Amino acid sequence: MTVTEAPGSRPRPLASGILPQVFYPAAGLVLLLVSLSFLAPAQTEAAFRAAKTWVADEVGWFTVLTVAGFLIFVVALSFSGLGRLKLGPDHSVPDYSYTTWFAMLFAAGMGIGLMYFGVAEPVMHFAKPPEGDPQTVAAARQAMRITFFHWGIHAWAIYAVVALSLAYFAYRHGLPLRIRSALYPLIGERIHGPIGHAVDTFAVLGTIFGLATSLGLGVIQINSGLHYLFDVPIGVGTQVVLIAVITSIATMSVFSGLDRGVRRLSEFNMIMAVALLGFVLLTGPTVHLLQALVQNTGMYVSNVFGMTFNLYAYEPTDWIGGWTLFYWGWWIAWSPFVGMFIARISRGRTVREFVIGVLLVPLGFTFLWMTIYGNSALHMIRVDGAADLVDAVAADSSVAIYRFLEKLPLARITSGVATILAIVFFVTSADSGALVIDMLSSKGEEESPMWQRIFWSLMVGATAIALLVAGGLNALQAATIAAALPFTVVMILACWGMLTAMRLDVAKREALRGARTAPAGAATGTDWRGRLRALVHQPRQQEVIAFLRDHVKPALDDVATELHKQGLQARAGIGPDGRVWLEVGHGEEMDFFYSVRPRPYNPPSFMLEDPRRHHENGDRTYRAEVHLREGGQDYDIMGWRKEEVIHDILDQYHRHMHFLDAVR
């Protein structure tokens, strides 16, 4: 059976493009869960509850300790010497400016969770704190401290671990943009076998449950908003219909390829969210909110260490399973999705830039959001006497934002905006999440079939429906906590593999330190005037390409021939852009790669010719730059004699051999 992707295209096999070792196990497990949820909802809910209880009681300490370890790992990485490594070759530059990159990270911090919990969580902690008396000033402070903790730096440390491993191994080492690539330093080529398939399968399952949790929370809130605005009944039946309708919209966007439309919709959604945030800030207790933001941040910084390791071991409670472990599981399950997005926009950044940006930029916006909504709600309750808000949130947390907005001006308009925000978050999350799952379950060499992307979009919606049918919010929490556990182990191994690879990178950079500059007398013998003329001369592209072809390539050929005589596998070649290269194989150890490329550059201003001359693209200034496997080495060999080129190759090869000896 075949499918046709577009008019005039050649028929493709139905299974073309999929990675069966990941696709079928993940799809089978998801279909099994969905089937059980519909056929035996009570038993499925009981199984979810049992899994949640077991994880919270027996291995909750492991999850808390691991998340703390992720935070320590990425911070230590950024401040160590490894922080200078680039997410890409040494010569790479960021794809985006700081302003654009920060804006994209800012967008990554937006989501359904902020809409759902912005008011609900502070009020719920205020009404029922884990310790101390409820509805007191101390309870209010504790409520905001806990909310900041759950939505704070730990979440972004989890995302940073996944995003950093994806970006580092994909852009610096040329491995697939998959979770399995982080294990390459540990298991080598076996990442392409059963172990790698299992890792990506866990990533797919975790992403599905993370998405299903977000979509489940989103549809519950949408249902409450439609009930508030249009008196639509609240219930699982309505929520199932809403998921079906909105998932269909997301699926149509996948099918029609409306990437630009979805992106613009997301940007418009972000503008609406910021506008709504500004409205609450201006119509609420503005000065109090600004004061609270400063104090909340200070409380968070002062208490983050102690809260990180607090398991309530001396005062056992199920509170941590319903809150902290749920959040940690949610962030871990959500991390392949967010990590993939962050990795794709961070090529060319240093590890230090990456960690500081990912940890702090979205965090600032999240703290602002939680303060404006959370402290406004607490101010209404404590100062304005809106005690009914506590009762409304306790009865149904999904109505929190609507009961909150109705106490401000223009309530129906702002409630409508909040509902639209939730719907658009739903659509864009489902659409983007299905694309990430599709990438993890595809071969990667070619575009996956359209039916596969549609299948995953529908599966995410079906999983959200199944969890709602099998127990609503409790089932969403339980499934998230249980699904995150195996992927936590994968993330630990990713940290280990990343640290191993980065240390090798730094070791090699140290071995290559002092890369060779132009030798005295290159191309001109001992005539220093000739050498000066060569330094001032600014060659064009064709001149550099001719030099590489006529002088450097023969040098590479001679070295390759001599290495063959010594029993080594070596080959030289020339690329379509004029670059020439030499590769020497070393079996199980790292191969040696040396190339020289024609690279454009901007010469010093005092060397520019007549400024009235308009250079065409083919008339730019070029250099013959040496590249190793790690990237450009920032020196030019244009005009060197053949013997000098050969000696430079041998010098770099000598350093490479020294590196191999150092790490054996």
Side-chain angles (χ1 to χ4, degrees), residues 300-313:
Y300 173 76
V301 173
S302 300
N303 293 277
V304 65
F305 189 82
M307 296 180 70
T308 295
F309 297 97
N310 186 8
L311 281 161
Y312 296 94

Side-chain angles (χ1 to χ4, degrees), residues 455-467:
F455 172 81
W456 286 123
S457 180
L458 295 176
M459 279 297 97
V460 170
T463 304
I465 292 173
L467 294 176

Side-chain angles (χ1 to χ4, degrees), residues 22-24 26-28 30 204 208 430 433-435 437-439 441-442 451-461:
V22 175
F23 178 87
Y24 291 121
V30 172
V204 168
I208 288 175
L435 178 61
I437 297 169
D438 176 66
M439 291 173 63
S441 58
S442 301
W451 71 264
Q452 182 178 332
R453 282 172 265 170
I454 295 173
F455 172 81
W456 286 123
S457 180
L458 295 176
M459 279 297 97
V460 170

Side-chain angles (χ1 to χ4, degrees), residues 494-511:
C495 290
W496 184 12
M498 191 161 40
L499 182 61
T500 302
M502 286 182 174
R503 291 177 66 184
L504 284 175
D505 258 350
V506 170
K508 187 169 187 181
R509 289 183 68 174
E510 292 295 326

Side-chain angles (χ1 to χ4, degrees), residues 14 38 63 132 162 174 197 206 257 286 332 348 354 364 381 429 442 498 504 549 552 567 609 643:
L14 186 62
F38 285 112
T63 303
V162 175
H197 300 324
T286 307
I332 290 170
F354 175 89
I381 297 168
S429 295
S442 301
M498 191 161 40
L504 284 175
R549 182 187 63 243
V552 180
E609 298 175 351
E643 293 77 9

Side-chain angles (χ1 to χ4, degrees), residues 106-118:
F106 171 84
M110 303 286 292
I112 292 172
L114 292 180
M115 295 291 298
Y116 190 96
F117 287 106

